[in-house]
Amino acid sequence: MSETIFALSNGYIGIRGGFEERMGGNESRSIDGIYLNGFYESVPIPHAETGYGYALNTQTMLNVTNSKLIELYLEGEQFNLTRGTIIEYKRFLDMKNGCLHRNLVWRSPEGREVEIKARRVVPFAHRHLVAFEYRVKALNFSGKVIISSYLDGAVENHVHEEDDPRFSAALGGLGLKVKRIIADEEPVIMLQETQRSKLTLVCAMDHSLKDGPGAVKEISRDDHSVAVNYYFDLNEGETVGLEKYASYYTSLDYQVADLAGLASEMVTRGRAIGFNVLLEEQQGHLEKLWETASFGIDGDTALDQALRFNIFHLFQAAGSNGRTGIGAKGLTSEGYDGHYFWDTEIYMIPFYAAIMPEEARKLLEYRYSILDSARERARVLDHPRGALYAWRTIAGEEGSSYYPAGTAQYHINAAVAYAINKYIEMTGDYSLVLEFGAEIIFETARLWKDLGAYIQRKGNRFCYNEVTGPDEYTALVNNNFYTNLMAQWHLDYAYETACNLRDNYPDQYKRLAEKIDLDQKELQAWKQAADDMFIPFDGDLQIHPQDDGFLDKEPWDFAGTPSERYPLLLHYHPLVIYRYQVCKQPDVILAHFLLNDRFSLDQKCRDYNYYEPITTHDSSLSPSIFGVMASELGFYEDARWFFDLSARLDLDNCLKDTHFGVHMANMAGSWMNLVYGFAGMRTTGGSLSFKPYLPEGWKGYRFGVRFKGSRLKVEIKGREAVYSLSDGEPLSFQHRDKEIFLAGGEKVVLSLD
Ligand code: BGC
């Protein structure tokens, strides 16, 4: 799991925190990998019993050329931590400059002692580059030392572990194939191809030798790897330092004929810039982000560390190109095949919109780039118009093999529209709607209209049958509360957006209406469906049932379920789970958070008290949302418990699956837990408000947000809240019930009482 924790990424290249050298020994537990965002193989889904419209292929993010491999030999003895003696060892991640360090002193079985200092960085400023530094000092011997630095093309994805559905599809021999190695001189180049998706990848490497005695260099190769070998005579006390640069380019972004040239130019440039300067650049980039996030918890170091770690991973995950999304595990492992889910829109976009709005916009551009695939998917599901986003995907095609908990989660359409609205609420940047957002909003709203029906026995209300809400422990139900509510919101939003465009941007509206064949009658039908939406409510219990049949089910026997049978999904057939009142994650409660102003506090409280005790939180998407709502409802102990769990979920491996990669949605959720939970931030209708409180035992906490171009810092200290506006336009917001107006450079101190 530490390979996950120490994974580095720049949103394009992701590299797990494994060692430079091959491990040997108990290697099978170690998942090594380098991934490129959006680079995949299309893997057939083996359905023994298939059905019309089942997803036929899933896209799997590939483990690509291993450029991290460096082997060291001391007078013929190969350095390997599973042999000899480890005298000193420290691995740490510097979140200020994004550098991963490993410092160690090792005694070989024959008694030679070396100090090794390895560092690596994946530069944001050069998205196709990764840089390594490898320094070796002879401590008690003089002799012949060899450093061999590789590009290894014999890479595979890792196979299913213990049949855990959260890992990835078995590739079954569909790994990358080495097509060509160019190794006459440096930079050396390896060209590889995927077998089915027919994508080409080129990886180049170059080196620069720092310090130490002159070396003899020799390039060696076989069919699937190439090494640059350095031979030194090292004296006791002397150090050699090798800098290694590797670069990746693929046919997803460039012409195949250009890839080798681009990759070799990139490593040559990396080498000219040098490792230390790359690190300085990285620090400069991260400093700006840390300054915006302006984060800190005073009075709890473990939580402060944990949230910083989560924020760091969010900084690392965004691809910044409008062509890629963020996988459920970022680029930290192969878990969930590297697929993008609704996690990005509902959990992560609020973070990016507040800290890195440009990234939020790029993520939404990615959704636009796959709108045609969503249109195709809608046709397969018998909708003559509109678009249905794939539940899980990389390039747009539905990759979920289990439709009850996959394609049936139609709510992904609302998630995308909701994220567009969230982005606009936070940034005020309506150009996104004009450029491409409206087309997404309308096409996905169309699906809602087509999917639902007026049902006589439901008072002729507009209903959705056979859908799955966010809670994956219940599937294929009628009138899932979350789905109906979000569809209603989406249809209203689409109607309002269309009216606004028609009235205020007539040219753009006309062009789009012609393109997608939209008329007034259809707009009216959206509005009508939203007005007539069936929203489940139980008069006896005064709560919102999760769906039509939920309350008729037997409650799950929590008292009789031993702790080792959690998560339930690994120990019970789905049919067993579906038969009971038991939730994996928030459904009704998530709707309360997202459409916060639609429910009274009493109602939210009743629903929370009903659903929290029957929720297992087996999904990492659960604790943060319960945490935010617990804060709003004044359940401070719950709020703190959920926050602690959410904040440290990966660092402490709370779900025992961090080796599959970090939980990106939860990482963003933990930030929301603090900002939306403890500080009570809301942005409903584009108005900013806070209702902060200080969790027990803390001295204070702080965070920054960008709101409509202004940068606001919020600091809670003891019984006071301090708001300061560092730059940008004057800002008005609410602190509790008080209207506050701040001009640039101003600050205000207010009481929490
Ligand atoms: C959750 C989904 C989520 C997916 C990817 C599942 O366990 O139930 O809501 O989208 O993980 O994170």
Side-chain angles (χ1 to χ4, degrees):
M1 92 130 197
S2 43
E3 291 96 332
T4 296
I5 299 298
F6 290 124
L8 293 183
S9 163
N10 61 8
Y12 179 63
I13 303 174
I15 170 164
R16 280 176 63 78
F19 301 154
E20 282 71 15
E21 67 281 5
R22 282 195 187 93
M23 269 293 280
N26 189 18
E27 197 174 6
S28 61
R29 293 301 301 165
S30 167
I31 301 172
D32 223 350
I34 299 183
Y35 312 101
L36 303 180
N37 201 351
F39 190 73
Y40 66 94
E41 178 56 295
S42 175
V43 184
I45 299 176
H47 297 287
E49 274 182 72
T50 190
Y52 178 82
Y54 282 20
L56 296 177
N57 299 295
T58 194
Q59 298 142 36
T60 292
M61 180 174 77
L62 285 176
N63 185 6
V64 297
T65 334
N66 182 0
S67 61
K68 150 176 90 59
L69 188 59
I70 298 176
E71 300 284 15
L72 170 70
Y73 302 85
L74 314 170
E75 288 271 281
E77 279 192 290
Q78 186 171 1
F79 164 61
N80 187 317
L81 285 176
T82 63
R83 296 192 288 269
T85 314
I86 301 167
I87 298 168
E88 280 171 31
Y89 186 89
K90 188 172 178 187
R91 187 157 46 154
F92 63 97
L93 173 63
D94 184 338
M95 295 190 284
K96 282 201 179 115
N97 61 7
C99 183
L100 179 67
H101 296 250
R102 184 167 63 129
N103 297 341
L104 62 98
V105 174
W106 180 74
R107 185 185 306 124
S108 73
E110 290 176 16
R112 293 181 189 91
E113 283 178 21
V114 275
E115 178 192 73
I116 298 175
K117 290 190 171 174
R119 301 194 289 172
R120 70 177 72 143
V121 66
V122 190
F124 290 108
H126 315 277
R127 299 264 175 179
H128 294 265
L129 185 68
V130 44
F132 304 87
E133 186 196 56
Y134 195 79
R135 295 176 66 80
V136 179
K137 184 174 181 184
L139 294 180
N140 70 347
F141 71 98
S142 301
K144 296 210 175 305
V145 168
I146 306 172
I147 300 180
S148 297
S149 168
Y150 289 81
L151 289 185
D152 184 7
V155 281
E156 266 290 344
N157 277 35
H158 299 270
V159 286
H160 272 285
E161 263 192 36
E162 298 139 18
D163 284 337
D164 191 320
R166 297 166 300 180
F167 203 45
S168 59
L171 270 185
L174 281 176
L176 276 169
K177 289 279 173 258
V178 177
K179 284 286 165 189
R180 207 169 153 209
I181 293 175
I182 306 169
D184 304 334
E185 56 178 4
E186 288 205 89
V188 297
I189 289 164
M190 181 178 289
L191 189 142
Q192 287 175 279
E193 249 177 38
T194 63
Q195 300 178 53
R196 291 185 82 234
S197 57
K198 296 288 171 223
L199 300 175
T200 304
L201 159 72
V202 164
C203 183
M205 90 171 156
D206 202 352
H207 299 87
S208 150
L209 211 52
K210 301 274 160 172
D211 306 329
V216 175
K217 184 168 86 173
E218 173 215 79
I219 300 177
S220 60
R221 53 167 290 180
D222 58 25
D223 288 347
H224 54 76
S225 73
V226 52
V228 178
N229 308 293
Y230 292 91
Y231 301 85
F232 311 90
D233 284 315
L234 202 62
N235 291 320
E236 186 172 330
E238 272 181 346
T239 302
V240 293
L242 183 70
E243 290 180 4
K244 172 174 186 175
Y245 301 93
S247 165
Y248 296 85
Y249 280 84
T250 81
S251 55
L252 281 169
D253 300 304
Y254 299 94
Q255 299 292 329
V256 173
D258 296 338
L259 298 177
L262 286 162
S264 73
E265 251 170 55
M266 186 71 258
V267 282
T268 310
R269 187 136 47 96
R271 184 189 143 129
I273 297 171
F275 189 89
N276 285 328
V277 174
L278 286 172
L279 216 52
E280 279 166 28
E281 287 178 3
Q282 190 82 339
Q283 176 144 355
H285 182 96
L286 282 165
E287 259 167 20
K288 284 194 208 120
L289 295 177
W290 283 121
E291 168 60 21
T292 307
S294 197
F295 174 77
I297 294 175
D298 191 9
D300 195 319
T301 321
L303 289 175
D304 182 74
Q305 177 207 39
L307 221 68
R308 278 176 199 280
F309 174 73
N310 295 352
I311 292 171
F312 177 76
H313 269 279
L314 288 156
F315 290 163
Q316 295 203 107
S320 229
N321 58 12
R323 189 184 61 68
T324 52
I326 298 181
K329 311 289 179 189
L331 292 170
T332 66
S333 187
E334 291 153 35
Y336 284 128
D337 291 292
H339 285 168
Y340 317 138
F341 292 75
W342 70 314
D343 304 30
T344 314
E345 284 75 20
I346 293 296
Y347 288 77
M348 296 182 228
I349 292 261
F351 170 86
Y352 289 113
I355 310 291
M356 306 159 77
E358 314 74 25
E359 299 296 344
R361 195 184 161 104
K362 293 283 174 205
L363 289 166
L364 294 166
E365 273 175 30
Y366 157 72
R367 280 293 178 190
Y368 186 61
S369 78
I370 59 164
L371 185 58
D372 277 342
S373 304
R375 288 182 171 115
E376 280 169 32
R377 188 67 182 149
R379 302 301 165 268
V380 173
L381 284 140
D382 212 28
H383 301 288
R385 289 153 85 75
L388 174 62
Y389 279 108
W391 174 243
R392 47 187 293 178
T393 192
I394 293 178
E397 194 186 352
E398 176 63 272
S400 170
S401 57
Y402 182 59
Y403 73 86
T407 306
Q409 296 202 48
Y410 291 91
H411 64 85
I412 185 151
N413 265 13
V416 177
Y418 187 90
I420 292 176
N421 185 48
K422 174 60 76 182
Y423 170 83
I424 288 160
E425 274 183 1
M426 296 293 298
T427 62
D429 173 18
Y430 204 69
S431 71
L432 181 141
V433 169
L434 301 175
E435 282 166 32
F436 62 86
E439 193 172 337
I440 298 182
I441 298 166
F442 300 160
E443 285 287 74
T444 46
R446 275 182 160 161
L447 191 111
W448 287 126
K449 175 65 190 67
D450 203 55
L451 180 70
Y454 286 92
I455 303 291
Q456 282 297 326
R457 282 170 58 87
K458 289 280 181 191
N460 208 26
R461 309 299 282 176
F462 199 71
C463 295
Y464 291 108
N465 292 332
E466 298 304 327
V467 300
T468 300
D471 168 34
E472 293 188 352
Y473 282 174
T474 316
L476 298 181
V477 295
N478 295 345
N479 294 313
N480 166 254
F481 174 79
Y482 177 93
T483 304
N484 288 27
L485 199 77
M486 292 301 285
Q488 182 186 47
W489 172 86
H490 188 167
L491 287 162
D492 270 332
Y493 181 52
Y495 175 78
E496 282 160 22
T497 305
C499 295
N500 185 34
L501 293 194
R502 187 196 57 206
D503 300 345
N504 299 310
Y505 305 91
D507 293 344
Q508 279 103 325
Y509 181 70
K510 194 164 166 276
R511 261 199 307 276
L512 180 56
E514 274 169 19
K515 177 175 175 191
I516 64 171
D517 191 19
L518 182 68
D519 60 22
Q520 192 60 29
K521 214 168 114 219
E522 191 173 356
L523 301 191
Q524 242 17 82
W526 294 349
K527 175 89 192 96
Q528 199 58 52
D531 288 351
D532 296 339
M533 189 67 67
F534 177 77
I535 303 293
F537 185 75
D538 185 87
D540 293 339
L541 294 174
Q542 291 287 306
I543 61 158
H544 291 106
Q546 196 170 288
D547 56 73
D548 280 356
F550 191 81
L551 299 180
D552 300 332
K553 294 178 180 172
E554 196 184 337
W556 183 266
D557 177 15
F558 287 99
T561 311
S563 57
E564 60 277 10
R565 296 197 82 183
Y566 292 93
L568 301 183
L569 67 107
L570 295 189
H571 303 278
Y572 298 88
H573 191 282
L575 280 172
V576 177
I577 301 175
Y578 296 166
R579 200 170 295 136
Y580 292 92
Q581 285 193 43
V582 57
C583 306
K584 182 182 183 192
Q585 62 202 98
D587 198 292
V588 172
I589 306 306
L590 180 60
H592 286 171
F593 171 50
L594 298 181
L595 300 178
N596 201 260
D597 55 339
R598 300 227 177 158
F599 305 93
S600 69
L601 218 50
D602 280 352
Q603 187 58 56
K604 290 177 197 166
C605 194
R606 277 194 300 276
D607 286 344
Y608 180 100
N609 283 333
Y610 191 85
Y611 288 102
E612 200 291 313
I614 56 169
T615 304
T616 60
H617 309 292
D618 283 349
S619 164
S620 66
L621 276 63
S622 196
S624 57
I625 301 302
F626 274 96
V628 173
M629 289 313 295
S631 280
E632 181 177 334
L633 299 171
F635 301 150
Y636 299 126
E637 258 179 49
D638 276 19
R640 196 41 212 284
W641 190 86
F642 285 122
F643 176 75
D644 289 13
L645 173 60
S646 169
R648 294 204 59 91
L649 191 114
D650 281 312
L651 275 184
D652 293 346
N653 196 10
C654 298
L655 297 184
K656 309 267 179 290
D657 67 348
T658 292
H659 56 296
F660 296 157
V662 297
H663 300 79
M664 291 303 307
N666 170 67
M667 287 180 146
S670 65
W671 176 87
M672 286 205 278
N673 215 330
L674 186 117
V675 173
Y676 286 80
F678 299 153
M681 183 173 96
R682 296 289 180 270
T683 56
T684 317
S687 310
L688 185 63
S689 63
F690 297 92
K691 278 189 187 156
Y693 74 96
L694 184 67
E696 228 180 87
W698 291 7
K699 295 198 184 78
Y701 60 94
R702 60 186 180 281
F703 60 89
V705 287
R706 287 168 70 176
F707 192 78
K708 299 192 176 157
S710 306
R711 285 166 194 269
L712 182 69
K713 288 190 181 163
V714 181
E715 186 165 10
I716 309 302
K717 291 201 272 201
R719 303 302 318 145
E720 284 176 343
V722 184
Y723 298 92
S724 40
L725 199 65
S726 48
D727 56 30
E729 296 294 305
L731 186 66
S732 32
F733 60 92
Q734 274 195 337
H735 167 84
R736 301 190 164 275
D737 296 328
K738 223 181 176 145
E739 285 295 337
I740 311 294
F741 180 84
L742 276 187
E746 279 184 357
K747 100 177 179 189
V748 60
V749 182
L750 299 161
S751 163
L752 288 192
D753 300 318

